[in-house]
Amino acid sequence: MCGIIGFTGELDAKTVLLDGLQTLEYRGYDSAGIAYYTKDGIKTVKSVGKVSCLREKIDQVEKIDQAEKSPSTCGIGHTRWATHGGVTDANAHPHTCGKVTLIHNGIIENYHELENALAAKGKVPCSQTDTELVAMLMDSCYEGNPMETIKKSVAQIEGAFAFCIQFADEPEVIYCIRKQSPLVACHTENGSFVASDMVALITYSREYFVLPELHIAKLTKGRIEVSTLEGKAVSPEMIKITWDMAAAKKGGYPHFMLKEIHEQPDALQSTILPRVKEGNLPDLTADHIPLSIFKDISHVIITACGTAMHAGLVGRIMIEKLIRIPVSVEIASEFRYQDPVINEKTLVITISQSGETADTLAALRLAKEKKATVLSIVNVKESSIARESDYVLYTHAGPEIAVASTKAYTAQLACLFLFSYQFALGRGCITEKECADKIAQLLHMIAAIEETLTLEKVLEEAGSDLAKAEDLFFIGRGMDYALSCEGSIKLKEISYIHSEAYAAGELKHGTLSLIVEGTPVVALATQEKVFAKMISNVREVKARGARVILITNGRPEVDASVFDYQIALPKLEDELVPFTAAIALQMLAYYTALHRGLEIDQPRNLAKSVTVE
Ligand code: M6R
């Protein structure tokens, strides 16, 4: 989703802005722009396409206009992911009106009212964006005092926003304010920096703070002042970055996605090991999760989006199996419109890699309003979801850059498993001995992940076969159905091949009519309990000409005529196979997309962090 960078200080602002935007490319965008102060005033350059296109355009501008070569030490930059208005130079940010130049992440919900109110004053925007309306609104409120202008303007704005604003009268100062959309900032001896994501700041500082909602940050060369809308100074808490830049770079892999797939053994160790105490028992005390929270829960709702929601589908099976209380999994974007049944005995688990997904955050807020206890499983420290939850289990997967979520998903599963074990133990549903056995198996699973990664060759072969398809199916039962959903989204988002996940037993109620000669079907048959039934379903599709990629737990005896490829995962307890199966499905999607010659890390139309509804 849109990215923001701002800088004022001793360095060359254009370089800081362009490098920052490049670092934020992984969020997904379709145009980019910067505004920077030179001795001739604030200049703006914008371009559709990649940051490299923007760089070229700036070079051209500089060739024509020598004044551009003069140093600029203050500016703001943006990568835009179109919401209001098409992908055009005019719609790209920054937007200027009179003395106000600004960039914006988020969505202004009452843009129509704002547009009408401005039109009544004879003001007409040049672009089709909600952002330009805010620049116009701010300019119309401006009487020489930026703080007052921002205060007056945000009082009239509904929706989610993160703004960085330059006023022509104070061209070396950046003002920032946010609501829901993230903004982080830091000050160093080189100056002051602000960004939508700390990945853009890590070259300059290992400490940053999150700008509190509806507070104004004033960035000058010498410092950053943060105050409430009423002007009261506040000092936000500084957060230390614990991982290094190498973790956010490709480290020799052709794509972040492949690197992140291969990082899963390490990521899982970081997620699991600190939460296992002597005797192989779960220990969530460092996460400040008291045993008392397990006592009065009558039901659990897991809510999340996309891949994080698919982790929830596996979590539901685990919690229901071990604790025997009802669990439902709700798509976060639907949750708040369904009048869900929630009370003080409900435990709501939200799951999010970024911790900034707008729909998940809104679901969390609804749950809190209804007095539920909210526990979140989050990767990004101090993200909005983490901050607003009662309890947080961090996944410790390290930065995930590729849009397709891989290591965050398996780390989410690990948190859900540890949590279920602790929950079951806390409620007396399993004995310490049973729990220790389960954790020993969970630790053993990490080694099985290493082994799964060695299946890359056969998965690449199967991927090259799938690359020719335009439609395919993922089928499974129980846990394997949950995994089918994940396999399908992974393939769709990066290979652009249409696929559907189906509960294998449901095929004959309609979908079987779509299986014809050559239709690829990825069949997950990893669960002993339903293995024979699953193989019958595989026979059903094979008999209609399907090309079958069969994924099994170990190498059970299967008639070789029912599959074209067999991916035999290292043998594990059935309930732990989601970890290894997920990795196989991730590699299958990766190699399919690779064979189609696609971009992989930044698929079209998608963004890493979806901070709008
Ligand atoms: O940051 P989140 O985990 O909240 O993101 C949720 C989804 O947008 C995300 O999982 C998405 O489905 C992935 N791109 C799938 O790989």
Side-chain angles (χ1 to χ4, degrees):
M1 195 116 305
C2 309
I4 280 181
I5 175 92
F7 169 73
T8 180
E10 305 298 340
L11 306 173
D12 175 51
K14 272 178 284 181
T15 307
V16 174
L17 300 179
L18 289 169
D19 291 352
L21 292 182
Q22 198 106 50
T23 317
L24 291 170
E25 280 196 309
Y26 75 92
R27 293 170 69 100
Y29 68 104
D30 41 49
S31 53
I34 62 171
Y36 51 101
Y37 171 58
T38 72
K39 66 181 174 38
D40 293 335
I42 295 174
K43 306 270 172 184
T44 301
V45 185
K46 317 197 259 191
S47 169
V48 297
K50 295 286 173 197
V51 174
S52 53
C53 305
L54 178 65
R55 277 189 199 271
E56 277 168 27
K57 197 160 179 185
I58 291 170
D59 286 348
Q60 282 166 12
V61 171
E62 287 191 348
K63 267 186 212 138
I64 298 163
D65 184 352
Q66 283 302 311
E68 298 289 336
K69 285 224 164 97
S70 57
S72 81
T73 53
C74 178
I76 52 183
H78 190 264
T79 46
R80 172 174 185 255
W81 188 73
T83 50
H84 286 75
V87 181
T88 62
D89 284 3
N91 287 342
H93 303 200
H95 287 280
T96 300
C97 181
K99 296 205 162 185
V100 176
T101 297
L102 58 76
I103 52 179
H104 164 224
N105 278 7
I107 286 190
I108 307 303
E109 284 171 3
N110 61 335
Y111 74 96
H112 210 54
E113 285 96 310
L114 292 179
E115 192 170 20
N116 289 341
L118 288 160
K121 293 183 193 160
K123 294 175 193 281
V124 183
C126 308
S127 74
Q128 303 154 311
T129 64
D130 51 349
T131 304
E132 191 190 355
L133 298 172
V134 177
M136 293 164 74
L137 171 69
M138 287 202 182
D139 186 59
S140 69
C141 294
Y142 184 62
E143 288 172 347
N145 183 336
M147 302 288 270
E148 271 307 305
T149 303
I150 294 170
K151 187 175 164 182
K152 271 195 213 156
S153 306
V154 296
Q156 298 174 56
I157 296 172
E158 285 165 25
F161 52 78
F163 293 116
C164 291
I165 313 144
Q166 280 182 289
F167 290 87
D169 295 336
E170 294 181 43
E172 288 182 280
V173 181
I174 300 170
Y175 289 89
C176 312
I177 188 160
R178 75 176 195 96
K179 190 177 137 205
Q180 288 176 36
S181 300
L183 269 186
V184 296
C186 65
H187 178 74
T188 74
E189 58 186 9
N190 291 320
S192 301
F193 301 79
V194 62
S196 48
D197 184 329
M198 43 73 52
V199 169
L201 304 184
I202 193 167
T203 316
Y204 309 101
S205 173
R206 300 194 62 77
E207 276 197 329
Y208 67 99
F209 67 86
V210 177
L211 179 63
E213 284 202 3
L214 293 177
H215 283 56
I216 299 175
K218 179 179 177 186
L219 277 70
T220 54
K221 279 185 205 298
R223 60 205 209 129
I224 303 180
E225 293 164 73
V226 179
S227 56
T228 62
L229 288 175
E230 290 66 46
K232 187 169 169 281
V234 297
S235 316
E237 194 191 326
M238 297 305 291
I239 299 160
K240 279 199 171 39
I241 295 167
T242 50
W243 43 269
D244 58 23
M245 196 53 188
K249 293 208 168 140
K250 284 188 199 152
Y253 287 94
H255 295 100
F256 279 112
M257 184 179 176
L258 191 61
K259 171 181 176 254
E260 287 158 7
I261 289 173
H262 280 270
E263 281 173 347
Q264 290 178 93
D266 284 348
L268 286 166
Q269 287 201 15
S270 310
T271 307
I272 298 171
L273 296 189
R275 291 169 173 135
V276 175
K277 64 179 177 194
E278 242 187 274
N280 274 350
L281 288 174
D283 183 5
L284 306 183
T285 46
D287 300 291
H288 309 290
I289 298 181
L291 287 179
S292 55
I293 76 158
F294 300 117
K295 292 234 163 65
D296 295 326
I297 296 168
S298 64
H299 69 290
V300 177
I301 299 175
I302 301 178
T303 181
C305 301
T307 284
M309 190 271 290
H310 297 155
L313 296 177
V314 175
R316 169 175 65 192
I317 296 174
M318 285 303 294
I319 299 173
E320 286 193 337
K321 178 173 153 190
L322 290 174
I323 298 116
R324 308 302 304 151
I325 62 170
V327 182
S328 62
V329 180
E330 309 289 345
I331 295 171
S333 56
E334 291 288 301
F335 186 62
R336 84 196 105 134
Y337 303 112
Q338 287 171 347
D339 197 10
V341 181
I342 308 178
N343 54 42
E344 61 287 354
K345 291 195 162 197
T346 315
L347 173 68
V348 172
I349 302 180
T350 67
I351 308 175
S352 174
Q353 186 289 128
S354 61
E356 300 294 350
T357 301
D359 287 316
T360 311
L361 185 59
L364 177 157
R365 287 178 177 162
L366 175 69
K368 289 202 76 174
E369 235 174 76
K370 303 247 176 188
K371 309 270 181 281
T373 301
V374 177
L375 178 140
S376 293
I377 296 177
V378 175
N379 197 34
V380 178
K381 288 223 174 102
E382 292 302 318
S383 50
S384 304
I385 291 176
R387 285 198 315 277
E388 295 193 24
S389 302
D390 297 311
Y391 304 101
V392 184
L393 270 179
Y394 281 114
T395 38
H396 302 315
E400 193 181 67
I401 307 293
V403 167
S405 191
T406 53
K407 61 178 180 170
Y409 171 79
T410 45
Q412 285 158 359
L413 292 185
C415 283
L416 285 162
F417 276 58
L418 285 163
F419 174 78
S420 320
Y421 297 157
Q422 178 73 85
F423 196 176
L425 200 58
R427 296 270 280 227
C429 303
I430 52 174
T431 64
E432 285 202 350
K433 162 87 179 59
E434 284 164 337
C435 190
D437 285 349
K438 285 188 176 297
I439 291 205
Q441 293 296 334
L442 188 69
L443 295 171
H444 169 65
M445 173 276 294
I446 301 175
I449 294 278
E450 300 270 12
E451 208 183 320
T452 309
L453 291 169
T454 66
L455 299 173
E456 200 157 352
K457 186 130 189 27
V458 57
L459 287 160
E460 173 168 10
E461 238 174 83
S464 80
D465 204 337
L466 287 189
K468 298 166 215 136
E470 285 311 325
D471 269 297
L472 66 104
F473 293 86
F474 286 80
I475 59 171
R477 288 169 177 260
M479 286 271 197
D480 283 338
Y481 172 59
L483 261 294
S484 296
C485 296
E486 178 51 16
S488 176
I489 194 178
K490 208 92 308 168
L491 188 90
K492 276 185 281 218
E493 71 181 320
I494 60 168
S495 75
Y496 313 158
I497 298 176
H498 169 254
S499 77
E500 277 190 57
Y502 250 81
E506 186 67 7
L507 275 181
K508 54 188 164 303
H509 300 290
T511 313
L512 209 48
S513 63
L514 294 174
I515 309 287
V516 292
E517 195 61 38
T519 308
V521 173
V522 180
L524 286 116
T526 72
Q527 304 292 305
E528 184 56 36
K529 204 166 75 175
V530 286
F531 184 75
K533 291 204 182 306
M534 195 53 218
I535 294 299
S536 302
N537 297 135
V538 173
R539 286 187 194 285
E540 278 164 13
V541 294
K542 194 69 191 150
R544 281 145 187 96
R547 282 184 66 70
V548 173
I549 298 175
L550 181 69
I551 301 184
T552 54
N553 180 16
R555 197 174 279 280
E557 281 203 2
V558 196
D559 174 357
S561 67
V562 301
F563 59 79
D564 297 274
Y565 294 91
Q566 183 183 10
I567 313 296
L569 300 169
K571 178 87 180 114
L572 280 176
E573 291 290 310
D574 282 5
E575 69 186 31
L576 293 171
V577 184
F579 290 91
T580 47
I583 287 169
L585 294 169
Q586 292 162 4
M587 288 206 280
L588 192 62
Y590 174 82
Y591 281 109
T592 305
L594 193 73
H595 282 284
R596 283 169 76 97
L598 297 170
E599 214 175 298
I600 299 186
D601 283 337
Q602 290 163 35
R604 69 180 177 213
N605 304 339
L606 296 178
K608 182 64 183 162
S609 176
V610 185
T611 50
V612 294
E613 254 189 74

